[in-house]
Amino acid sequence: MNKKTILIFLAISSFASAQTFTKSDTLKGSNTEFRNFWDVKKYEVFVAPKSEDKSITGTNKISFEISKDVENPTFQIDLQQPMDYKILSSNIKFKSDKRDGDFIFLETNQKFKKGEKFSLTIQFFGKPIITKNAPWDGGWVFTTDKNKNPWISVADEGIGASVWLPLKDIWSDEPDDGLILKIKTPKDLVGVGNGRLISAKTDGDSKVYTWRVVNPIGDYSIIPNMGKYVNFKDTFNGEKGKLDLDYWVLDYNLDKAKKQFQQVKPMLKAFEYWFGPYPFYEDSYKLVESPYLGMEHQSSVAYGNHYENGYLGRDLSGTGVGLNWDFIIIHESGHEWFANNITAKDQADMWIHESFTCYSETLFTQNFMGKEAAEKYVIGLRKNIQNDKPIIGKFGVRNEGSGDMYYKGANMLHTIRQVINDDEKFRQILRGLNKDFYHQTVTGKQVEEYINQKSGIDFTSVFKQYLETTKIPILGYFQKGKDLQIIWKNTVENFKLPIRINNGGKLILINPSDKIQYITLDNETPVSFDKNYYVSYEEITPETN
């Protein structure tokens, strides 16, 4: 490794240490000098999982374009130990390739010009990390179905696709031209991947299934599945025409799947209404039965909810509403819009994925059961909020914020919806996000500014309150007759959240601040508050005007 590279390492290490993160965290989570000059265009992956010894072998051809003029750069390829590698070919002559932990550094001795295109083919082999609690801890799953047939998959959103695959493992750089995924299986099993099945060819005692994705795809969505799968199909007449629906389930669950997956079309109808067209018509919509609960793999949603409603038979809201639909079908499919279409550049902004998708459950419920049931559901979710740490994590070190990005994030959006007080405008904002940021990676600030602009309301302090602190706003109030005193407590500086209160059947819009305000009501009826705002209400000691 040359002197320049070592100095960069030391600088990164010093910075990361000050933030209580390691050099490795920074290399994983930042767009460093080893990444910021090349843009991935396509991955062409071949993988052969072996159930006998829980190993995998394969290759990845990485096609990329130089994004700025650069001289003698070092390329970083991510591949987590204990996986091993070998450089097979490239139209770049690398000076050296060296490994440092979970990273491969390819040094060059040449000038590169913006717009030049290259490729690199890497072989990978070994026994990857085996997950103990998929999909939460990440890694490969080698198990068997109830008939003792091998059943194999992987889940790697948190840990990263580099747990098995050598690639540029950063959310901000998706392969613009998509993916080819070839899965080699024993001839009596089936390999299922993302996108559309292009071919299934016999190779001796094996078969090779080739899948193609033509749209950009996030790294953690690239998932090979292998099992005793059977397939059935359907179509949905959506906003962009006919959408192919593709279902792959274990052979003995076919009848259950045909019944349970009838929920897909109502889900797609609701989400296209609220969010706009399904973002990947070219690659189809797919559910794949998985040996873990579920995950939002693009055009290949993992399903493991045992063909029952709720979340493994439970209602996360505690209201009973969530038992009327299959949580995994609804939630994980919602991610096709928020996570796969609109993708956060950095894990710290993962609320873009989870807050909107958690709220998609409420929007689906409104279409399916009515607005009253939807409001009951989202309010019920509040019992799961921990307020343990901020929702936004630390940037540049592959760090997620609080799990409150789900339930608290959804209730933040529900609160914003109350302030906008125009469901059609709110719907157009959601559709606009998916249209204007179509197939893009974005920052949380971009999303915040978009909502501010399109709503005509400055929600900056609202986002700061709910995403960056653990404090829940408290509306302090005191009423005596027609005299009402109000004040915001437990808020960020200059917190602005107008809310409506009810005074004897009359709705009154108030704009509290961190100073006592005095309001004269039309009547002496005690005011009541709308539970749809995620705020607390507290009677205060009156002040003399």
Side-chain angles (χ1 to χ4, degrees):
M1 194 167 295
N2 62 33
K3 185 176 180 181
K4 174 184 174 184
T5 303
I6 293 171
L7 289 173
I8 292 170
F9 270 6
L10 291 174
I12 290 173
S13 182
S14 175
F15 172 78
S17 177
Q19 301 297 312
T20 70
F21 290 97
T22 67
K23 176 187 74 176
S24 178
D25 293 324
T26 303
L27 288 171
K28 287 179 179 179
S30 294
N31 192 27
T32 65
E33 291 188 38
F34 313 120
R35 286 170 160 171
N36 66 9
F37 63 93
W38 58 289
D39 176 36
V40 177
K41 292 301 179 182
K42 191 173 186 178
Y43 291 126
E44 297 176 62
V45 179
F46 170 85
V47 60
K50 296 181 180 179
S51 59
E52 298 84 3
D53 61 357
K54 299 181 179 179
S55 68
I56 59 173
T57 59
T59 58
N60 185 16
K61 180 182 178 182
I62 306 172
S63 299
F64 57 93
E65 182 176 318
I66 301 300
S67 55
K68 65 178 182 181
D69 293 351
V70 64
E71 185 175 354
N72 303 334
T74 297
F75 290 77
Q76 175 184 322
I77 302 295
D78 306 295
L79 181 64
Q80 296 178 39
Q81 296 175 317
M83 291 300 296
D84 208 344
Y85 77 98
K86 180 180 180 181
I87 305 297
L88 294 184
S89 63
S90 178
N91 50 358
I92 296 175
K93 187 175 182 179
F94 293 110
K95 178 181 175 183
S96 67
D97 68 272
K98 298 181 180 179
R99 185 163 199 170
D100 184 354
D102 295 334
F103 314 102
I104 302 165
F105 294 98
L106 306 176
E107 296 182 329
T108 68
N109 188 22
Q110 67 183 88
K111 294 180 180 180
F112 294 86
K113 295 291 185 180
K114 180 179 179 180
E116 291 180 332
K117 296 181 180 181
F118 300 93
S119 67
L120 164 68
T121 301
I122 306 178
Q123 182 183 27
F124 57 93
F125 48 92
K127 295 183 178 182
I129 292 173
I130 304 298
T131 177
K132 296 179 180 178
N133 189 28
W136 295 279
D137 61 346
W140 276 75
V141 180
F142 288 90
T143 187
T144 57
D145 63 22
K146 74 175 186 179
N147 293 330
K148 305 302 180 182
N149 296 302
W151 193 13
I152 300 172
S153 187
V154 59
D156 53 33
E157 178 186 31
I159 197 171
S162 58
V163 73
W164 66 282
L165 183 64
L167 77 173
K168 187 178 182 181
D169 197 1
I170 187 169
W171 284 11
S172 59
D173 192 0
E174 298 183 346
D176 304 295
D177 299 330
L179 165 76
I180 296 293
L181 176 57
K182 295 184 177 183
I183 307 168
K184 186 175 182 179
T185 75
K187 63 181 179 181
D188 58 335
L189 299 179
V190 177
V192 183
N194 309 82
R196 294 183 183 273
L197 180 63
I198 302 304
S199 67
K201 297 181 178 179
T202 300
D203 180 14
D205 291 334
S206 303
K207 294 192 74 172
V208 177
Y209 293 83
T210 301
W211 297 82
R212 182 174 63 198
V213 173
V214 300
N215 290 297
I217 183 170
D219 296 346
Y220 73 83
S221 276
I222 302 172
I223 301 294
N225 303 274
M226 188 173 86
K228 195 77 170 179
Y229 286 113
V230 293
N231 173 237
F232 68 102
K233 300 179 183 295
D234 203 347
T235 57
F236 170 73
N237 293 318
E239 291 191 13
K240 289 178 67 175
K242 186 180 76 170
L243 172 62
D244 293 324
L245 310 180
D246 202 16
Y247 304 124
W248 296 82
V249 300
L250 296 181
D251 51 1
Y252 52 79
N253 285 329
L254 180 60
D255 290 340
K256 290 181 182 178
K258 286 183 175 180
K259 179 179 180 181
Q260 192 72 0
F261 290 0
Q262 290 176 15
Q263 296 186 36
V264 167
K265 288 185 181 181
M267 172 274 296
L268 288 170
K269 182 177 180 180
F271 288 167
E272 287 210 332
Y273 173 79
W274 285 103
F275 303 148
Y278 173 75
F280 308 106
Y281 270 73
E282 302 85 355
D283 296 322
S284 79
Y285 171 87
K286 188 188 303 92
L287 287 177
V288 183
E289 187 169 359
S290 65
Y292 51 84
L293 181 60
M295 184 56 69
E296 67 266 20
H297 303 138
Q298 183 178 313
S299 65
S300 188
V301 172
Y303 176 86
N305 203 36
H306 302 166
Y307 302 99
E308 57 185 353
N309 284 352
Y311 180 101
L312 293 175
R314 299 184 291 113
D315 173 20
L316 295 177
S317 76
T319 65
V321 173
L323 295 176
N324 290 281
W325 38 266
D326 189 312
F327 176 89
I328 293 300
I329 292 177
I330 306 307
H331 178 91
E332 302 303 345
S333 298
H335 275 306
E336 292 283 41
W337 284 264
F338 290 97
N340 298 340
N341 184 37
I342 305 174
T343 307
K345 286 183 179 291
D346 192 295
Q347 279 85 340
D349 272 332
M350 195 170 160
W351 70 272
I352 298 170
H353 300 188
E354 300 301 350
S355 298
F356 283 95
T357 302
C358 186
Y359 196 57
S360 76
E361 302 158 24
T362 298
L363 297 174
F364 168 78
T365 299
Q366 179 170 329
N367 281 45
F368 186 57
M369 300 177 65
K371 195 168 186 178
E372 183 178 348
E375 292 175 347
K376 184 179 180 182
Y377 178 78
V378 71
I379 292 170
L381 290 177
R382 293 175 188 170
K383 70 182 181 64
N384 302 309
I385 297 173
Q386 301 296 312
N387 281 315
D388 54 346
K389 61 181 180 179
I391 287 174
I392 294 179
K394 303 297 183 184
F395 289 91
V397 287
R398 203 176 179 97
N399 175 254
E400 299 174 9
S402 171
D404 283 347
M405 67 180 77
Y406 292 81
Y407 314 115
K408 184 179 178 181
N411 272 280
M412 175 190 72
L413 294 173
H414 191 60
T415 298
I416 287 172
R417 179 182 178 186
Q418 310 314 306
V419 177
I420 294 174
N421 197 30
D422 182 337
D423 274 2
E424 180 57 23
K425 177 182 282 189
F426 182 70
R427 183 172 79 96
Q428 292 304 326
I429 290 172
L430 297 177
R431 291 176 65 95
L433 282 167
N434 279 281
K435 179 181 179 182
D436 294 340
F437 295 128
Y438 183 72
H439 291 178
Q440 293 182 35
T441 62
V442 301
T443 66
K445 292 301 181 185
Q446 284 179 278
V447 174
E448 293 176 25
E449 290 166 4
Y450 187 94
I451 294 173
N452 290 343
Q453 177 189 0
K454 297 300 181 180
S455 68
I457 301 171
D458 186 0
F459 288 107
T460 302
S461 65
V462 175
F463 288 119
K464 187 175 183 66
Q465 177 82 30
Y466 290 100
L467 297 177
E468 299 181 31
T469 81
T470 59
K471 300 187 293 186
I472 302 304
I474 299 172
L475 181 64
Y477 71 96
F478 176 80
Q479 181 180 358
K480 184 177 181 180
K482 293 183 180 181
D483 297 323
L484 178 68
Q485 297 180 21
I486 57 170
I487 185 173
W488 277 128
K489 302 169 61 179
N490 202 42
T491 59
V492 298
E493 187 177 0
N494 296 321
F495 182 66
K496 296 178 181 178
L497 179 66
I499 67 171
R500 292 181 301 280
I501 61 175
N502 192 313
N503 177 222
K506 181 179 180 180
L507 294 179
I508 303 171
L509 182 66
I510 60 174
N511 289 277
S513 70
D514 59 358
K515 307 294 183 184
I516 286 285
Q517 295 182 16
Y518 302 88
I519 298 173
T520 300
L521 302 170
D522 287 349
N523 59 72
E524 297 183 359
T525 305
V527 295
S528 59
F529 304 102
D530 190 343
K531 293 182 179 179
N532 285 293
Y533 296 91
Y534 181 41
V535 301
S536 297
Y537 302 96
E538 177 182 285
E539 193 166 6
I540 59 174
T541 302
E543 290 190 8
T544 303
N545 194 345

